[in-house]
Amino acid sequence: MKLALYLPNFRDKVTVKELEDLTALAEELDFDSVWALDRVVVPEASDRAELQFPFGMMTEFPKGMPVISRGEWFQGMTLIPWLAAKTQKVRIGMSIIDTPYRAPGVLAAELATQDHLSGGRLNVGVGAGWMPEEFAAASVAHLFPRRHAHVRETIEIMQGIWTNELFEYHGEFADFDLCGFGHKPVQKPGPPIYFSGLKDPKRSARRIAKYGLQGWIGIQDTPEELARWRGEIVRELGELGKELPAGFDMCSMIWFVITDEPMDQTPAGKGTNLLAGTAQQIEDMLKRYREAGMTMPLLWPPFRDVPTAKTMDDLKRLAEEIMPKVNAG
């Protein structure tokens, strides 16, 4: 099982130094990858729990974000070139890029440049987004009803631009004649693409099968949920006459903190304490995840009340004390 760090660039208050220290530690501990989070705005209505939908459209949560609207966070996309310059071996990415906020051709060209800046270490996570208020702030409110189709076209355009000297596309969201977009990515045929789907395994499987995607990313998935997603994806691929690609990553973004006292891990849907607990609880849960088919948890530091120094200590304990037991068992 690989480890990935989900940088806390989205929280009430975070500094560049904290992100730098966490990234350096992830590289020192031989983590597979470091990921930033894509967030454009936190609506003021969120502070009153009056968003149109709960966080991630997950019914277990209130209609408010875990970060205040006056919070001081950093935009994830801008961090990627900085991460490329700050690291040498760890892979980098953003989980996930809400494609409707970006013009597909521009995004594809920028990602190719980022792959060069990192020496071929870029991962690309894509998804549709979930917050109408954020679509409005990004000036794409009209795309909300068609956001899933936008993801599909964006994948087609990225792969087309990355693998063709000249490329044209005539679709619903992009319509352009033959153009060159500069450097192709270092990675061939392009950076691995991870799909984020929280609601529909069948749609995820279709995307993975049709476009040869390299991974799936969920959020706060229990081992049982992750096994179900993997099973649905494998089954759908089978119906299409395909198999899960070699090296395919099953991932989930999971809140992580090591505690002195045992945590209540009673199932509570997406609100379950999955990787929040004692070292023994976390070891046991990671073993269950491994058996369920998880290849890489994206470890997500708490939004508040846990200093970065504590998170760094927890990551060291995880890598040096807990994971050898998980991988041996």
Side-chain angles (χ1 to χ4, degrees), residues 88-121:
Q88 295 295 321
K89 57 183 181 179
V90 70
R91 297 189 64 81
I92 55 177
M94 189 160 72
S95 178
I96 47 81
I97 299 168
D98 291 323
T99 72
Y101 305 161
R102 283 103 184 167
V106 175
L107 176 63
E110 290 178 341
L111 292 174
T113 294
Q114 291 176 9
D115 199 44
H116 278 267
L117 293 176
S118 66
R121 293 183 287 122

Side-chain angles (χ1 to χ4, degrees), residues 181-252:
F181 287 81
H183 268 294
K184 306 306 173 196
V186 173
Q187 300 178 85
K188 305 300 180 188
I193 299 175
Y194 290 67
F195 182 73
S196 179
L198 303 180
K199 295 288 186 182
D200 189 345
K202 190 176 184 68
R203 181 169 56 215
S204 293
R206 288 198 302 267
R207 295 281 189 270
I208 291 162
K210 183 174 182 179
Y211 301 116
L213 307 188
Q214 283 80 43
W216 172 86
I217 299 175
I219 179 172
Q220 279 287 115
D221 300 282
T222 65
E224 293 76 18
E225 288 173 329
L226 189 128
R228 179 178 64 85
W229 272 90
R230 189 180 189 281
E232 291 291 335
I233 290 171
V234 168
R235 181 160 38 254
E236 179 68 15
L237 287 171
E239 292 180 3
L240 297 171
K242 298 186 177 183
E243 297 180 348
L244 205 62
F248 186 85
D249 271 331
M250 289 294 299
C251 315
S252 190

Side-chain angles (χ1 to χ4, degrees), residues 46-47 50 64 83 96 112 114 155 169 175 180 186 190 193 202 238 254 259 312:
S46 169
D47 298 343
E50 294 179 359
L83 288 168
I96 47 81
Q114 291 176 9
I155 294 173
Y169 193 88
D175 188 359
V186 173
I193 299 175
K202 190 176 184 68
I254 306 176
T259 59
M312 293 179 69

Side-chain angles (χ1 to χ4, degrees), residues 13 16 43 72 89 101 156 189 241 260:
K13 185 174 181 63
V16 170
E72 298 175 338
K89 57 183 181 179
Y101 305 161
E156 292 175 355
D260 293 328

Side-chain angles (χ1 to χ4, degrees), residues 147-167:
R147 62 194 185 278
H148 297 294
H150 191 280
V151 176
R152 175 182 55 77
E153 283 200 9
T154 297
I155 294 173
E156 292 175 355
I157 290 167
M158 289 193 303
Q159 292 183 333
I161 288 173
W162 293 345
T163 57
N164 291 279
E165 184 176 351
L166 299 177
F167 185 68

Side-chain angles (χ1 to χ4, degrees), residues 46-60:
S46 169
D47 298 343
R48 305 189 304 274
E50 294 179 359
L51 293 177
Q52 293 186 47
F53 299 106
F55 178 69
M57 290 188 174
M58 295 180 288
T59 55
E60 297 92 335

